[in-house]
Amino acid sequence: MDYKDAFKKIFAMPEFPRVRTSDPATSHQAAASITDVSSHYAQILEALSTIGPLGKDGISFYSKLDPNQIARRLNEMQKLGLISLTGKTVRSNSNRQEREWTI
């Protein structure tokens, strides 16, 4: 997928549910505080297009986003067809295996 086509998908992106009705009030507050995920998508795409396939922690290093922010966006981006898994794993910052992502 062309990098610019990926950004077109970001701006026409569907809304993903970020909280369940059964979740505690703190989860609802956290979900309400998320305002601009498209900028996270753009930063993740920029890291992957510049560096190549990376794990969550690698994306975090190059994008300057928190690993938790990235972890929440990766599955959403996969569902949108913006990124995919390589089928490989890489070492995380905690020396565990994590999935590798690519454009």
Side-chain angles (χ1 to χ4, degrees), residues 22-87:
S22 60
D23 286 345
T26 52
S27 295
H28 286 269
Q29 292 168 349
S33 71
I34 299 170
T35 56
D36 187 18
V37 296
S38 64
S39 70
H40 292 178
Y41 288 179
Q43 291 174 67
I44 292 168
L45 287 171
E46 182 68 29
L48 290 173
S49 67
T50 302
I51 305 303
L54 294 165
K56 170 187 58 69
D57 288 344
I59 296 169
S60 174
F61 178 80
Y62 290 105
S63 69
K64 306 301 183 206
L65 291 172
D66 183 87
N68 289 322
Q69 292 173 310
I70 293 165
R72 302 294 180 255
R73 303 289 84 82
L74 293 175
N75 286 329
E76 293 174 3
M77 294 176 72
Q78 183 180 29
K79 288 177 185 175
L80 289 170
L82 297 173
I83 62 173
S84 61
L85 290 165
T86 64

Side-chain angles (χ1 to χ4, degrees), residues 86-103:
T86 64
K88 298 177 184 176
T89 59
V90 294
R91 293 261 180 216
S92 71
N93 291 342
S94 60
N95 209 28
R96 294 188 176 144
Q97 294 296 313
E98 64 181 18
R99 299 179 297 173
E100 185 181 60
W101 298 87
T102 191
I103 292 182

